[in-house]
Amino acid sequence: FPTVFNGAKSGFDVVLGNPPWERIKLQEKEFFSPYDPEIANAPNKAARNKLIKNLPDENPALYAQFVQAKASAENLSTFVRESGRFPLTSYGDINTYALFAGHVRDVINVQGRAGIIVPTGIATDFYTKDFFGDLVEKHQIVSLFDFENREGLVDAYPRSYKFCLLTLSGEPVEKADFIFFATNT
């Protein structure tokens, strides 16, 4: 957390980033994809669970790896929720981009600015509504430019992704600029 010296908040003048967009919760399909395509490609969760139940007998090493990965994800999730470090972004299926957005906001100084590339869900998702609402209430949004990637603006993202360029201020700003549904720059 930034510290306060002589009544002024310390911190960075500029923070730029493209934080990771990963859910902390273990995604079984993605976990098993490189190890067991049958489990990864099961037609539904019930079928996947049935195959996972057989793993202790059929592939104990993979089962142990799965149990370890699941426990690690659950432990990290518990830490994030209970640490008090991320009070506005540690709900539901926690995504690391929301945690980073909260952190970026915390580390800029009063006159600083932060620019991050995050899913547009930072402004529209249920589990980030408290964070975004607080940004709005405190007038810290400089701009939010939302893009749909259907024209392949960013090759690394699937065409169905919506992402935004979010700029925050360490102090209140008079007005914010918003653009939604842009398909190119």
Side-chain angles (χ1 to χ4, degrees):
F1 291 103
T3 56
V4 176
F5 296 105
N6 297 327
K9 176 182 166 189
S10 66
F12 292 96
D13 293 330
V14 176
V15 177
L16 296 174
N18 182 2
W21 304 3
E22 301 291 331
R23 287 194 283 178
I24 291 177
K25 180 179 177 183
L26 179 72
Q27 303 301 303
E28 292 173 351
K29 186 172 185 171
E30 287 83 2
F31 174 84
F32 284 108
S33 185
Y35 307 112
D36 192 320
E38 183 183 8
I39 294 174
N41 298 322
N44 55 47
K45 184 155 178 58
R48 188 172 301 109
N49 285 344
K50 187 176 181 182
L51 293 169
I52 292 170
K53 274 188 173 183
N54 294 333
L55 271 180
D57 295 327
E58 295 176 5
N59 190 340
L62 180 57
Y63 183 71
Q65 189 177 350
F66 169 69
V67 168
Q68 171 63 38
K70 191 170 182 175
S72 292
E74 289 169 1
N75 290 338
L76 180 56
S77 181
T78 298
F79 170 77
V80 166
R81 289 180 208 286
E82 295 179 6
S83 70
R85 175 67 180 86
F86 306 98
L88 299 176
T89 56
S90 58
Y91 302 101
D93 283 347
I94 300 169
N95 196 306
T96 55
Y97 81 82
L99 301 177
F100 274 84
H103 178 68
V104 163
R105 178 192 194 188
D106 288 342
V107 299
I108 56 175
N109 70 38
V110 174
Q111 296 163 338
R113 294 282 170 106
I116 55 175
I117 302 170
V118 292
T120 302
I122 197 75
T124 60
D125 287 353
F126 181 80
Y127 293 117
T128 54
K129 70 179 177 167
D130 292 338
F131 175 70
F132 194 76
D134 197 57
L135 291 173
V136 170
E137 184 178 307
K138 292 181 177 161
H139 300 273
Q140 289 185 282
I141 300 171
V142 175
S143 63
L144 186 150
F145 301 145
D146 164 61
F147 292 90
E148 293 183 338
N149 200 39
R150 67 181 141 169
E151 291 182 14
L153 183 63
V154 179
D155 289 336
Y157 302 158
R159 298 234 175 181
S160 62
Y161 271 36
K162 288 180 55 78
F163 64 94
C164 69
L165 307 178
L166 177 63
T167 306
L168 304 176
S169 175
E171 62 185 350
V173 294
E174 237 178 80
K175 70 175 189 86
D177 293 319
F178 291 90
I179 296 174
F180 289 93
F181 304 106
T183 57
N184 59 55
T185 55

